[in-house]
Structure formats: C-alpha cells, structure tokens
Amino acid sequence: MYAALIFLHSLFRWLVVISLAYAIFRACRGYISARPFTRTDNAVRHWTATIAHVQLMIGMTLYTQSPVVQYYWKHAGAGSEMRFYGLIHIFIMLTAIALLTVGSALAKRKPTDRERFRTMFTWFLLAFILIFIAIPWPFSPLSHRPYFR
C-alpha cells in the first residue's frame, strides 16, 4: 500500500502544479484583459481546488503510513530530511491548501468578474509558491526526490 500511495502522491503532484499554474494564468489573463469570468474560469477554479484536496487526502494517508515520518516522531530531532517530511512538508502543504481553499471560496463569492480574477490570482499564487517550496524536487536543498517515484 505504501508504494501505491507514494506513486499516487508523486503523480498528483504534477496534476496540482499544472492545474494551479493554469488557473493562475487564466486569472492573470482575465484580470489584465478585463474579460468576463466564464463558466470555464469557474470550472478551472473549482477543479484546481478539488485536485489539491485529493492530493491532500493522499498525502495525509501517506503521512500516517510513512516509515520516515514514523521514525521522525519516535526519534524527535532526527536528521534534516526526516524533519522535512515529519514536520516541514506537511505544515507548509496544509498552509498552502488552506490558502487555496480560502482563495477559491472568496473568488466564488466576489460580486464582479475583475475581483474574482484578482482574488483567484492572488490566493492561488501564494499557494503555488508555498507548494513549489515544499515539494521535494531533485534540486531542492530541503530534500531530494526524483521527478517521479
């Protein structure tokens, strides 16, 4: 089960990054061009948040099954990579998903299209920056993992 969770979490990482980048692009373009907030824009907002929430559920399940995390909690203060997965990664990702969720909810409720785009752009961009920092990329100074596992 652990290997399957790792694979799904790795795969969904790309879906989150791509959908979030696309949503940010649409929001920026919509705000700059002052175009109407269409059903497609709303669907992109909704599905981006949904994909991120699915990733969160996979990640939370993986967190409870991970031998790295279990080792970290049994040996508090263990190496920096253990600390990254046991504490830093989950804290930053939970914060990012909270920002994404709030931004999605606020954008949905804004009275004007321009405000919807601006809200979506701002909150999604903040979430994207945090997510990008917390992903264990091969080039990350916090933890090194391959692009696919």
Side-chain angles (χ1 to χ4, degrees), residues 54-120:
V54 169
Q55 174 71 330
L56 175 66
M57 292 298 99
I58 295 168
M60 294 299 288
T61 305
L62 182 60
Y63 188 82
T64 64
Q65 303 297 313
S66 171
V68 173
V69 172
Q70 290 172 5
Y71 182 85
Y72 173 76
W73 286 112
K74 285 180 185 169
H75 304 91
S80 63
E81 188 164 325
M82 303 285 181
R83 187 178 316 111
F84 175 76
Y85 290 105
L87 200 58
I88 297 169
H89 179 72
I90 192 166
F91 177 74
I92 293 174
M93 289 302 190
L94 284 171
T95 303
I97 298 300
L99 290 173
L100 185 69
T101 303
V102 168
S104 178
L106 289 174
K108 184 168 70 170
R109 290 164 177 78
K110 290 294 178 180
T112 67
D113 293 341
R114 194 159 169 88
E115 287 178 296
R116 286 184 188 130
F117 282 125
R118 185 183 66 214
T119 302
M120 192 168 117

Side-chain angles (χ1 to χ4, degrees), residues 2-98:
Y2 179 72
L5 287 171
I6 287 283
F7 174 75
L8 282 174
H9 198 59
S10 180
L11 178 67
F12 261 80
R13 152 182 47 177
W14 293 104
L15 294 175
V16 170
V17 168
I18 290 167
S19 66
L20 200 47
Y22 182 63
I24 291 167
F25 168 75
R26 285 192 70 96
C28 183
R29 190 179 70 182
Y31 180 75
I32 290 170
S33 66
R35 64 180 181 77
F37 194 86
T38 64
R39 289 181 65 187
T40 303
D41 295 314
N42 193 49
V44 167
R45 176 202 58 77
H46 170 76
W47 284 107
T48 298
T50 301
I51 290 167
H53 285 109
V54 169
Q55 174 71 330
L56 175 66
M57 292 298 99
I58 295 168
M60 294 299 288
T61 305
L62 182 60
Y63 188 82
T64 64
Q65 303 297 313
S66 171
V68 173
V69 172
Q70 290 172 5
Y71 182 85
Y72 173 76
W73 286 112
K74 285 180 185 169
H75 304 91
S80 63
E81 188 164 325
M82 303 285 181
R83 187 178 316 111
F84 175 76
Y85 290 105
L87 200 58
I88 297 169
H89 179 72
I90 192 166
F91 177 74
I92 293 174
M93 289 302 190
L94 284 171
T95 303
I97 298 300

